[in-house]
Amino acid sequence: FPIRVMYELGIKTLFVSNASGGMNPEFKIGDLMIITDHINFFPEHPLRGKNFPTGPRFPDMHETYDHALINQANEIAKEKGIRVVHGVYVGVQGPTFETPAEYKMYHRLGGDAVGMSTVPEVIVAHHCGIRTFGISIITDLGLEDNPVEVSHEEVQVAANNAQPLMTEIMREMIRRA
Ligand code: HPA
């Protein structure tokens, strides 16, 4: 609903951000992962029901995360010396964090990070023809065969620490738009 309201208000580009558990062994806590694609594991699909006239009944999803915006973010991060990683975001409902077996499964299915948000909003934005760019802050790690407990407090601390760097990239992208 908020995305459709923003569409009606005329937005052309959407920036999304979230916190996630990293499953890619190259990732570290506090990394900024530029989202290149997603895997939708939410049990409900936001486009179910009568089709909204903002887009087709069966939307193509090949470039859900705008390549030009990703390239621009890469350039800005390089210029500013900010470490970024790239990856596929797996969207799940939660509210449980994953079991070690689930982290392993999502990684083997092609995910680099897993979190409990963003995917439904991005699907609706894409259906509205809104260009989307997203950054996921890696707040904990769910690496195969290395189970580490995670708490909401740890997630909040890691997200708060990394957030200024993410904002710096997004602010510069807006400045250059
Ligand atoms: N799993 C799911 N959602 C999350 C995680 C996680 O490990 N970290 C932050 N949000």
Side-chain angles (χ1 to χ4, degrees):
F1 180 72
I3 301 294
R4 289 196 172 123
V5 171
M6 287 187 266
Y7 168 76
E8 292 296 336
L9 291 172
I11 72 157
K12 302 280 182 269
T13 306
L14 177 75
F15 284 10
V16 291
S17 67
N18 60 43
S20 65
M23 302 178 293
N24 182 325
E26 306 284 309
F27 291 2
K28 298 190 295 239
I29 288 179
D31 272 347
L32 302 179
M33 184 187 89
I34 293 178
I35 304 174
T36 55
D37 204 349
H38 73 221
I39 298 175
N40 180 17
F41 263 106
F42 281 83
E44 290 294 324
H45 198 286
L47 300 185
R48 274 194 69 177
K50 189 171 167 5
N51 188 45
F52 258 65
T54 54
R57 169 71 298 184
F58 301 108
D60 174 79
M61 296 295 283
H62 270 88
E63 193 178 333
T64 310
Y65 298 85
D66 190 272
H67 292 175
L69 293 174
I70 291 173
N71 289 340
Q72 191 185 46
N74 288 338
E75 270 168 35
I76 292 168
K78 200 167 166 197
E79 280 169 31
K80 292 182 177 286
I82 299 172
R83 172 182 154 94
V84 290
V85 295
H86 299 85
V88 173
Y89 177 83
V90 179
V92 298
Q93 180 174 256
T96 51
F97 291 109
E98 286 61 45
T99 63
E102 287 167 341
Y103 282 120
K104 188 171 177 173
M105 174 187 75
Y106 290 133
H107 184 229
R108 290 186 180 202
L109 287 176
D112 295 292
V114 55
M116 305 176 202
S117 68
T118 304
V119 166
E121 293 89 336
V122 168
I123 290 172
V124 173
H126 194 64
H127 187 245
C128 290
I130 295 170
R131 297 166 78 201
T132 299
F133 172 76
I135 291 184
S136 186
I137 299 179
I138 306 299
T139 56
D140 52 279
L141 295 172
L143 302 181
E144 278 192 30
D145 305 320
N146 183 20
V148 181
E149 285 185 23
V150 52
S151 71
H152 184 50
E153 288 66 35
E154 283 166 10
V155 167
Q156 284 174 308
V157 169
N160 285 339
N161 289 341
Q163 178 271 329
L165 293 174
M166 179 189 77
T167 310
E168 206 177 322
I169 294 173
M170 289 181 171
R171 190 174 288 131
E172 188 59 28
M173 289 171 79
I174 294 166
R175 205 173 282 139
R176 294 183 191 185

